[in-house]
């Protein structure tokens, strides 16, 4: 395994792990433990770092895959590019607009769910959640692709002198 492959695997794993931790553990725990407005403010403070983390891990993974051109390179590059686009849209378009809307809403606990600003926020939040889940799914697919065993033919092509034996 080359250093670029190791770095690629680390970048994808860190991106996926960070997204999964933030999405499935941290955010639900905050909203369960604190009032909605406070939890929302905490998560809002964490978003810029969360998106920077994803963009940094994604950039490293993309560069490693471009240079290394490992197995499933085209598929992996397309998935990484899609994940980076989704993360960028969240970081630079959705999150700033949602933060602006949040500032205009006095309280999510007391403002009616039918309030136009809350409806706009809910729409942005839904789009952001879908994008985030797509990033997590992309990360899972990348990990699965990187984990697939090489075929015997591929092993023989990369190291023709090596005899492939299987023991069960």
């Amino acid at each position: 395994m080359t250093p670029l492959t190791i770095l690629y695997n680390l970048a994808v794993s860190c991106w996926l792990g960070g997204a999964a931790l933030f999405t499935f553990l941290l955010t639900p725990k905050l909203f369960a433990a604190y009032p909605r407005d406070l939890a929302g403010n905490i998560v809002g403070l964490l978003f810029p770092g969360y998106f920077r983390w994803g963009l940094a891990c994604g950039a490293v993974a993309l560069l490693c895959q471009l240079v290394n051109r490992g197995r499933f390179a085209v598929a992996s590059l397309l998935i990484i590019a899609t994940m980076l686009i989704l993360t960028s849209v969240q970081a630079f378009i959705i999150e700033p607009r949602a933060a602006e809307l949040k500032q205009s809403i006095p309280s999510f606990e007391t403002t009616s769910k039918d309030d136009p600003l809350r409806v706009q926020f809910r729409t942005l939040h839904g789009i952001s959640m879908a994008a985030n889940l797509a990033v997590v799914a992309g990360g899972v697919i990348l990990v699965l692709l990187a984990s697939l065993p090489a075929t015997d033919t591929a092993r023989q092509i990369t190291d023709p002198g090596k005899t492939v034996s299987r023991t069960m």
Side-chain angles (χ1 to χ4, degrees), residues 43 64 90 102 109 111 127 142 157:
V43 171
C64 288
Q90 287 178 287
K102 263 175 72 173
E109 295 167 21
T111 303
I127 294 167
L142 290 172
I157 290 170

Side-chain angles (χ1 to χ4, degrees), residues 6 17 31 64-65 69 76 85 99 123-124 127 135 148 152:
I6 293 169
F31 277 92
C64 288
Q65 192 63 279
R69 302 293 291 187
S76 297
I85 290 167
T123 300
L124 287 175
I127 294 167
V135 167
L148 291 174
D152 290 345

